[in-house]
Amino acid sequence: MVTTRSLAPTQWRVWRTWPTWGTVLGLYALSRVFSTVLLGTLYTVATSRGWTFASHRDNSTFFTFSGSWDTWFYRQIALHGYPTDLPTDADGNVMPNAWAFLPVFPAVTRGVMNVTGLDFYVAGVLVATVFGAAAAYVLFRLVESRVGATPALWAVALFSFGPLAFVLQVAYAESLFLFLLFCSLWAMVKQRYLLMIPFAVIAAFTRPGGLAIALALGIIFIVRYVGWRRRGEPFPWSARIRILVAGAAISIAGLAWPMIASAATGHPGAYLETELSWWTGFVGRQEFIPLTPWFLLTGKYLGVVGILLVFVVIGSFVWWLTRRGPRALGTELLAYSASYGLYLVAVFLPQQSLFRLLMPLAPLLGDPTIAGSPRVRRTLLIGGMALQPVAIVLLWFLGYP
């Protein structure tokens, strides 16, 4: 296990004299200053020069600027709820609408609005930023529990200063989902399976991806059962029951939203057709077939080369998970990472949102080989900081994240 004694750079030594929470939140606060300066600079330039950016609004402020892209749908949900009639085009195809966005983030934001009197965009940025801090702290505790404090601290730094880290303070559900996810994974690592349920269930109604947690529990059950049968490792019936109960509850929550959308609108495929409506600009109208979206997109634009590229990406990810460094993170985090990777390949059409959707894999940043290599960690940290302004410019002017 890597310990704090391996911290060679003097800039990290000061953290030993601070409370752990102070160190982590201090790192996160610095990262928010960095991202705010970048966002504020772009907002000032865009406003002064009359540039049009994603979801341009009249009387734009820094907070509405930080609530660009599809945040409009979250605002509609917070203020008016979900539509009972799905919008359709002239051919009867379902068009983008609020049912693609889950209710917990707008509900929390609405609660903050009611208590403070703040506007939605200000409240949304506040909620995202606070839960981003909470997510960073839980990420530290999660990684620390497996590989020690040094890799955990670097994981927080890379998470907070990464190319898409500005998403942690825009009015999106990402920060809240990551906090709930990391809490659930921490409970999984501690084998407190029933404690996972409230976090994972709420996460399932915050942003899609909760089913990956249920799949990870299934993998853990198999691994522990095989260990018990072959090597006599402890796997009491009480633990088996807790895993099965947690897996069932999280699976039900992960599958519930499509049924809720159908019941509320009277349209059997309300949620799925709403999600597919976002695909039309990339691949046209398509039927959903699991495990095909990546091949569909890359095949359309790159042909056979694109299909081969998908296999290379999948193979590289699997290869990385089997290396010594990630294996040190333990079965639970590897099971979740593999499950979430499978989820992305199975249901997600890869486009500009892909990089944002990779953020739940942040525990892999705790790979001890990253913390153990000054060159690697410096490259990743500086590279993330350098790419963040590039990502901001691209995603405010070319496409939503």
Side-chain angles (χ1 to χ4, degrees), residues 53-61 64-65 67-73 75 121:
F53 48 82
S55 303
H56 179 77
R57 293 176 174 82
D58 294 332
N59 302 317
S60 174
T61 68
T64 58
F65 180 77
S68 293
W69 316 313
D70 290 329
T71 297
W72 181 86
F73 289 105
R75 181 176 182 272
Y121 295 104

Side-chain angles (χ1 to χ4, degrees), residues 299-323:
K300 176 180 175 65
Y301 292 100
L302 298 176
V304 175
V305 174
I307 294 174
L308 292 175
L309 179 61
V310 173
F311 282 114
V312 169
V313 170
I314 294 173
S316 299
F317 182 64
V318 172
W319 171 80
W320 183 30
L321 292 183
T322 59
R323 286 173 56 82

Side-chain angles (χ1 to χ4, degrees), residues 36 153 160 203 291 340 358:
T36 300
L153 197 60
S160 301
L291 297 174
Y340 187 74
L358 292 176

